[in-house]
Amino acid sequence: MALPAVETVECDILVVGGGMSGCGAAFESKYWGEDLKVVIVEKAVIERSGATGEGLSAINCYMGQRYGWNTPEDFVKYVVNDMMGLAREDLVYDVGRHVDSSVHLLEEWGLPVWKKDNGEYERIGRWQIPIHGESIKPVTAEPARKAVGPENIYERISITHLLTDANDSGRIAGAIGFGVRENKIWVFKAKAVIITSGGASNVFRPRSVNEGIGRTWYSVFATGSAYGLMIPIGTEMTQMEHRFVPTRFKDGYGPVGMWFQYFHAHVENALGEDYTVTRDSELRKYEPYGSAIPTPTPLRNHQMFLDIKEGKGPMYMRTDLAMQELSGGDPAKMDKVREEAWEDFLDMTIAQALTWASQNIAPEDTPSEVVLAEPYIMGSHSGEAGAWVSGPEDLAPPEYNWGYNKMTTIQGLFAAGDGVGAAPHKFSSGSFTEGRLAAKSAVRFVRDNPGAITVSDAQVRQLSETIWAPLETFEKHKGASTAEDINPNYITPKQALVRLQKIMDEYGGGTSTWYTVNQATLERGIVLIEMLREDLAHQGARSRHELLRSWEVVHRTWTGEAHLRHLLYRKETRWPGYYYRSDYPDLDDQNWRVFVNSRYDAASDKWSLSTKPYINLIK
Amino acid sequence: MPTFVEPNACNACAGEHLGPLCVYICPNDLMVLDPGMNKGANQEPEMCSECYACVKLCPTEAIHIRGYADFIPLGASVQPKRVEGGFTWTVTFRDGRELQFTYPSRSTPVGSSDPYKDFTEDRVNDLGGQGLAGESKWLGVDKLPPLQAGN
Ligand SMILES: Cc1cc2nc3c(=O)[nH]c(=O)nc-3n(C[C@H](O)[C@H](O)[C@H](O)COP(=O)(O)OP(=O)(O)OC[C@H]3O[C@@H](n4cnc5c(N)ncnc54)[C@H](O)[C@@H]3O)c2cc1C
Ligand code: SF4
Ligand code: SF4
């Protein structure tokens, strides 16, 4: 397999990933940078790519400032409590103060929002509004495509590495990747780059097996690229130890938010007990967060976890009781509730609708099993892993401010959505908003730094060879065995993925180890993942499709390694229900109410970890 | 749950300028035209997240989903059909019961968005401020709220 042709695109601002935050970034940058060349590079097609491609049933981040529902300050307090005391208040506030404008724009572009008779938005919970969201992604992508111009959207290109300036490794210069549908290496040279390439599923072994391993909760298309691109060039990361373990309907991973908040259903164990009642006293161990209202998500998980561990499962969502209560015996009301119940899944997690149908579950008659899923690492939903970014100029204290809002520690490299750490609970609307904020800042950066960047030909040449290596390796060695999958010279991307998942599950606190780790398991996991990282250079790919998978598993492995290293560093159990350190079983606000940051140095192949202060801005 | 294609219904998207639409849209690069049959086919079913993007777009309704063999009992199906402004879903249970729902999905004609319509922010002078494009019109309150530090 000879090296393919290299195509070069020069632009001012490069947006890597055209998901929610990428579309927001593209839209916003072209307003302020009317004369600038803005490019989106996307591994799929932006109309259906990313975590919202399947649709959504709610916008989970909306203040409703115009109705007087919430202030951004309320939002910050809620988020900090839900995260057991650790979130960047400047970043959370920044999303909160702007997010309503994004939601109103999405509605204007065609997103149907549920309305009350008086025309106000309907509400699910305090921050959530229900939508007919099947088409949220095409509705979001359309103005982005128009804003930058269709000729500036490069689809079916997978970005594998970021490029730094030949004269300054602390300055971004672009990105490199390959065509998923044609033999070509693509080089994008850019003065500013915005990383919006999503969070990570499938780092831990999923509960799903074999044919089902694509049925993960967070989208299987989320391959940890935001982290796998930023970490290798030395970008400072934060809270990579954080993970989200979702409580979900079993096997289909259908979300439970609508059931808890809108239908007011509750979960019971096999004995008919409600863990939020029977395990109330457990919350007292985690004050002040245990008394927060609502109870933080990890603590809710923790209560359920204790039931499951004691063998009191299966756990059932009493959909039947909730629906009967809501309809009050009125068949017309029941029709409406039934329609809403199924829409929640048909708009967002269709697999769950099929799971119900396949098991003859009509939710008004039959309760439905829920379970704690495998861990996910991301920064936009209920997770807070990601890059350590500069905060908004008017709010961020000096410790959180080194120039441009949402800029990472690499000059000119910005992040948004799942790519930004310590700023959780953004969801779809907040990710779109954060993309916009990053973009406006990137335009300012480009205006202030108009000078040319330099990409060295040698670096491009070397990376092109690296990118193409799995195809070469396969061609070179395939004759060494009669079975393509079993060869002493390479592993396939699928084998690498399974190995990563096994390491993470067994040493990093996945489902099979009850989410529990200690210093020894983590150190052992790191030894094994370092070997995996070496072996990833010996992947064999039979096709461009497998080449795509080869690079996805590289990005997932960087994510997993950062996760293990951060877990090892934080010597406490801050998020019971997400993970437990058996050697430090308590929450330790005294010493550990701090952010954990890391930086990988390629020259020495060493990681350094440190802490950053949590600064309270809103009393 | 992995997609499967009914061979007699697939016409390889003859006449579609984007080519075979399932191949065009799949966010996970799964759908290919099987070279032997010249029909849509899923090349890596275990990486299919049953997002239904291809099912919704297939012009001949040739694509269906068969629940994951590993944990989904046989016999059920969930099938969307595009209707004006949304989809009608037919849910068939394993025991044969059938439900039908129609939900809207978009309130404006496809292609009608006008990105910066009536935006008034000054592209030069407002660049240094905190306001986003169009926010004076779309935020829903008069101006960005000031931080209430003592709240
Ligand atoms: C099942 C589920 C349910 C959810 N429910 C809700 C809800 O009800 N309400 C709500 O508000 N939010 C919900 N969310 C959260 C919301 O979808 C995410 O918060 C949001 O999409 C994150 O935006 P993002 O831009 O960071 O990532 P994404 O939207 O995932 O975008 C990432 C993009 O990067 C592309 N990409 C990745 N790697 C590369 C690469 N190497 N090269 C090029 N391109 C690449 C991807 O294809 C994708 O387009 C849900 C998410 C899931 C998965
Ligand atoms: S979209 Fe439908 S008709 Fe077109 S190639 Fe795919 S399966 Fe065949
Ligand atoms: S359902 Fe989604 S993931 Fe599966 S083949 Fe179709 S488009 Fe791809």
Side-chain angles (χ1 to χ4, degrees), chain A residues 225-461:
Chain A
S225 284
Y227 318 123
L229 290 172
M230 291 193 283
I231 293 169
I233 62 161
T235 313
E236 187 163 332
M237 308 301 288
T238 192
Q239 296 298 94
M240 292 300 293
E241 72 279 22
H242 192 267
R243 56 173 62 188
F244 177 45
V245 171
T247 296
R248 288 295 178 266
F249 284 101
K250 190 163 176 300
D251 294 342
Y253 292 77
V256 294
M258 183 95 166
W259 283 95
F260 281 135
Q261 290 168 323
Y262 188 74
F263 296 129
H264 303 292
H266 71 279
V267 172
E268 283 177 5
N269 66 21
L271 311 176
E273 298 164 345
D274 177 347
Y275 55 82
T276 62
V277 177
T278 55
R279 304 229 180 241
D280 184 60
S281 63
E282 189 64 26
L283 301 179
R284 303 289 84 76
K285 293 186 192 160
Y286 301 101
E287 299 295 13
Y289 314 107
S291 298
I293 297 172
T295 301
T297 315
L299 293 181
R300 279 284 172 105
N301 273 9
H302 174 61
Q303 291 175 308
M304 179 157 111
F305 172 81
L306 294 174
D307 265 20
I308 297 174
K309 208 171 173 192
E310 276 179 18
K312 292 181 171 173
M315 312 300 290
Y316 283 101
M317 179 80 78
R318 294 303 305 265
T319 56
D320 52 333
L321 297 182
M323 288 175 78
Q324 287 158 19
E325 170 89 25
L326 281 170
S327 60
D330 177 345
K333 272 196 192 154
M334 182 58 98
D335 284 347
K336 181 166 177 284
V337 177
R338 187 186 302 112
E339 205 174 273
E340 291 175 350
W342 286 88
E343 181 172 11
D344 186 33
F345 295 145
L346 292 172
D347 276 355
M348 173 170 64
T349 314
I350 306 159
Q352 188 63 50
L354 187 51
T355 308
W356 274 357
S358 76
Q359 299 176 1
N360 293 326
I361 293 175
E364 63 271 42
D365 301 325
T366 318
S368 189
E369 247 186 284
V370 295
V371 73
L372 291 170
E374 59 282 355
Y376 291 85
I377 299 166
M378 30 94 197
S380 73
H381 196 282
S382 308
E384 62 170 333
W388 180 246
V389 298
S390 186
E393 297 77 6
D394 61 332
L395 299 175
E399 292 87 340
Y400 299 165
N401 188 347
W402 51 95
Y404 299 86
N405 196 5
K406 319 295 177 226
M407 191 171 81
T408 68
T409 53
I410 302 289
Q411 285 290 311
L413 180 66
F414 295 77
D418 281 317
V420 168
H425 286 274
K426 296 174 279 217
F427 297 97
S428 59
S429 48
S431 296
F432 182 78
T433 304
E434 197 168 52
R436 297 175 66 195
L437 290 162
K440 189 179 180 196
S441 236
V443 170
R444 277 212 295 127
F445 178 88
V446 171
R447 297 259 186 257
D448 294 348
N449 298 276
I453 38 93
T454 317
V455 173
S456 92
D457 291 345
Q459 192 191 8
V460 167
R461 172 88 208 165

Side-chain angles (χ1 to χ4, degrees), chain A residues 513-586:
Chain A
T513 48
W514 296 108
Y515 312 106
T516 305
V517 293
N518 62 33
Q519 178 172 336
T521 67
L522 292 166
E523 284 172 354
R524 181 76 190 131
I526 289 169
V527 169
L528 294 173
I529 211 165
E530 280 177 337
M531 289 182 188
L532 171 61
R533 181 141 65 80
E534 284 169 16
D535 287 358
L536 291 179
H538 304 284
Q539 291 190 80
R542 280 167 281 221
S543 61
R544 275 192 313 272
H545 176 72
E546 282 198 351
L547 188 63
L548 174 70
R549 296 290 182 254
S550 313
W551 286 102
E552 288 176 351
V553 72
V554 170
H555 291 167
R556 282 184 163 114
T557 301
W558 281 109
T559 308
E561 183 173 347
H563 187 61
L564 295 181
R565 291 181 183 278
H566 277 240
L567 286 173
L568 180 62
Y569 195 78
R570 180 180 287 285
K571 295 185 174 45
E572 63 160 351
T573 297
R574 178 151 296 260
W575 303 279
Y578 289 171
Y579 77 86
Y580 301 86
R581 270 207 66 161
S582 62
D583 44 356
Y584 298 98
D586 300 321

Side-chain angles (χ1 to χ4, degrees), chain B residues 54-118:
Chain B
C54 58
V55 182
K56 290 169 184 169
L57 202 60
C58 173
T60 63
E61 294 169 31
I63 313 180
H64 308 277
I65 302 264
R66 192 273 277 122
Y68 299 121
D70 316 295
F71 43 85
I72 302 295
L74 278 176
S77 81
V78 171
Q79 196 70 24
K81 193 178 179 61
R82 187 168 277 291
V83 294
E84 183 69 28
F87 284 92
T88 292
W89 294 87
T90 303
V91 178
T92 310
F93 284 53
R94 176 178 163 91
D95 62 15
R97 269 179 292 169
E98 197 175 286
L99 296 172
Q100 242 182 29
F101 304 104
T102 298
Y103 305 115
S105 63
R106 185 167 173 153
S107 59
T108 55
V110 171
S112 63
S113 67
D114 185 353
Y116 308 129
K117 186 161 169 259
D118 302 332

Side-chain angles (χ1 to χ4, degrees), chain A residues 27-28 31 73 98 104 109-110 134 142 146 156 181 211 214-215 339 436 440 494 545 549 619, chain B residues 24 29 44 46 50 56 66 69-70 103 107-108 111 113 116 121 123 129 131 133 135 138 148 151:
Chain A
F27 165 77
E28 190 77 17
Y31 184 79
E73 286 83 356
H98 292 286
H104 301 155
W109 293 327
E134 184 282 327
E142 186 184 296
K146 282 188 180 177
R156 297 291 173 195
R181 297 282 169 84
E211 190 184 90
R215 176 87 303 260
E339 205 174 273
R436 297 175 66 195
K440 189 179 180 196
K494 186 65 59 66
H545 176 72
R549 296 290 182 254
K619 303 291 172 225
Chain B
Y24 169 75
D29 193 41
E44 199 190 5
E46 69 275 24
E50 79 292 323
K56 290 169 184 169
R66 192 273 277 122
D70 316 295
Y103 305 115
S107 59
T108 55
S113 67
Y116 308 129
E121 282 75 10
R123 288 178 151 103
E135 217 157 49
W138 290 105
Q148 303 292 322
N151 195 7

Side-chain angles (χ1 to χ4, degrees), chain A residues 204-215:
Chain A
F204 281 83
R205 180 158 55 195
R207 287 194 184 273
S208 305
V209 291
N210 294 353
E211 190 184 90
I213 63 167
R215 176 87 303 260

Side-chain angles (χ1 to χ4, degrees), chain A residues 471-541:
Chain A
L471 291 167
E472 306 263 3
T473 302
F474 175 75
E475 280 304 314
K476 186 164 160 216
H477 295 292
K478 66 180 178 192
S481 93
T482 54
E484 285 183 351
D485 271 358
I486 308 168
N487 192 302
N489 304 294
Y490 60 74
I491 55 170
T492 68
K494 186 65 59 66
Q495 290 160 351
L497 178 67
V498 169
R499 199 161 124 202
L500 169 67
Q501 292 180 343
K502 186 167 158 64
I503 295 170
M504 295 303 293
D505 183 52
E506 295 178 347
Y507 302 97
T511 54
S512 78
T513 48
W514 296 108
Y515 312 106
T516 305
V517 293
N518 62 33
Q519 178 172 336
T521 67
L522 292 166
E523 284 172 354
R524 181 76 190 131
I526 289 169
V527 169
L528 294 173
I529 211 165
E530 280 177 337
M531 289 182 188
L532 171 61
R533 181 141 65 80
E534 284 169 16
D535 287 358
L536 291 179
H538 304 284
Q539 291 190 80

Side-chain angles (χ1 to χ4, degrees), chain B residues 5 10-13 20-22 33 40 58-60 62-63:
Chain B
V5 173
C10 167
N11 67 359
C13 283
L21 293 179
C22 55
L33 268 200
C58 173
T60 63
I63 313 180

Side-chain angles (χ1 to χ4, degrees), chain A residues 19-21 42-43 49 51-52 58 60 159 197 225 380 418 427-428:
Chain A
M20 283 313 283
S21 54
E42 163 60 54
K43 71 172 175 180
S49 68
T52 61
N60 282 352
I159 293 298
S197 43
S225 284
S380 73
D418 281 317
F427 297 97
S428 59

